Amino acid sequence: MAATSTRKPRAVVSGGAGFIGSHLCEALLARGLRVMAIDNLITGNRDNLRSFESNPDFEFKQADANHGIFLGGDVRYVLHFASPASPPQYDANPIHTLKVGTIGTTNMLGLARAKDATFLLASTSEVYGDPLVHPQPEDYWGNVNPIGPRGCYDEAKRCAEAFAMAYRRTHHVDTRIVRIFNTHGPRMQVRDGRAVPNFMAQAIRGEPLTVYGDGSQTRSLCYVSDLVRGVLAALERGDEMPVNLGNPQEVTVLELAETIIKLTGSKSRIELEELPVDDPKQRRPDISRANKLLDWEPEVTLEDGLRKTLEYFRTVV
Ligand code: NAD
Ligand code: UDP
């Protein structure tokens, strides 16, 4: 068993105990790889690993990507997903967020270089900031406020992309950059602070749903299984240029709150609260590049995805 196991290629996933990272580990194991998840558990949770932790091809290492990752043995893929990802989380940890996007990224790129592995960066739609071009194609350079409260996350991810390109140009590391748009699904932390977990927990508890601003700002939400399929396609068939991964089905935040109330069957009402500083007014991915390059598009509709996520939240709220 062990002898067969060691011949399988190995993937290292930073942020592997997080929401997306844990689904990614599971998908990589299902693809027949050995997987090592590295996580310092700042926003992640070992419970996310429960359904596959006993798989002999899986290994968990509690470590900080900012402190350097030195591993023995071969590594075929390095996927860098470590980073606080929700606005309240990166607002609470701005220096850590900047470090994991910059120092953490160079550490994971260094690991990929040392092992001659393919490196994939989890970048974000936040590189477009509060976009002046709509929907957002990959060749839009964005509209980011570097000194606002979101700057620690947006600029760290922009710097991470620059590092990926520099390691490719200088050290010929085989790199991928995926720009992930708002994604939801099981294993999001209840107290994560993003719209979907907040609204679902509030609706299940019968509390008011806290819509920030007048709720006219838009987002486009992707279900996690679609996103993970896109990440794997980018890893296997992608190139060095950034590729957007997200669901172009755009809704206002008010519509999102109303849909969650409807799906929950809740009597909760909606309460308007102050809009956070620099909150992007609109967001929708142009996914034509992912479609052409990776033959990828989302399959799960907004309502179907929200129903699946809700099933999970009913078990943890
Ligand atoms: P998450 O908070 O659930 O997962 C992030 C994981 O990284 C956590 O387990 C956390 O403990 C870990 N981590 C953070 N800093 C670390 C460090 N220094 N060393 C080791 N581990 C560390 O968030 P998520 O939504 O799963 O996001 C995963 C990645 O995808 C992030 O890089 C995020 O920027 C990116 N992303 C997510 C979305 C989304 O909508 N979920 C959108 C765009 C980009
Ligand atoms: N939002 C909201 N109420 C909440 C949490 C978030 O109205 O309880 C809004 C937030 O202001 C933003 C949108 O929902 O306009 C998406 O926020 P989220 O934190 O999920 O992700 P973002 O796209 O801002 O990173």
Side-chain angles (χ1 to χ4, degrees), residues 165-219:
M165 295 309 286
Y167 269 69
R168 168 171 278 269
R169 292 183 183 120
T170 310
H171 298 307
H172 313 291
V173 176
D174 184 30
T175 52
R176 312 274 188 272
I177 297 170
V178 293
R179 291 185 180 155
I180 301 171
F181 283 63
N182 298 61
T183 299
H184 68 97
R187 301 186 191 148
M188 290 186 102
Q189 298 295 299
V190 176
R191 281 186 294 277
D192 171 284
R194 282 178 273 194
V196 170
N198 274 7
F199 292 167
M200 287 197 176
Q202 291 160 342
I204 290 168
R205 293 182 183 127
E207 294 168 359
L209 270 68
T210 53
V211 166
Y212 302 156
D214 61 6
S216 63
Q217 70 273 32
T218 67
R219 293 295 185 271

Side-chain angles (χ1 to χ4, degrees), residues 35-49:
V35 176
M36 175 186 273
I38 292 176
D39 205 297
N40 66 354
L41 302 178
I42 187 174
T43 56
N45 191 330
R46 274 196 84 145
D47 285 351
N48 288 341
L49 310 172

Side-chain angles (χ1 to χ4, degrees), residues 15 17-21 38-44 63-66 81-85 96 100 122-124 153 157 180-183 194:
F19 155 50
I20 298 178
I38 292 176
D39 205 297
N40 66 354
L41 302 178
I42 187 174
T43 56
D64 191 326
N66 298 345
F81 277 69
S83 173
H96 180 269
V100 77
S123 186
T124 167
Y153 181 69
K157 291 287 187 180
I180 301 171
F181 283 63
N182 298 61
T183 299
R194 282 178 273 194

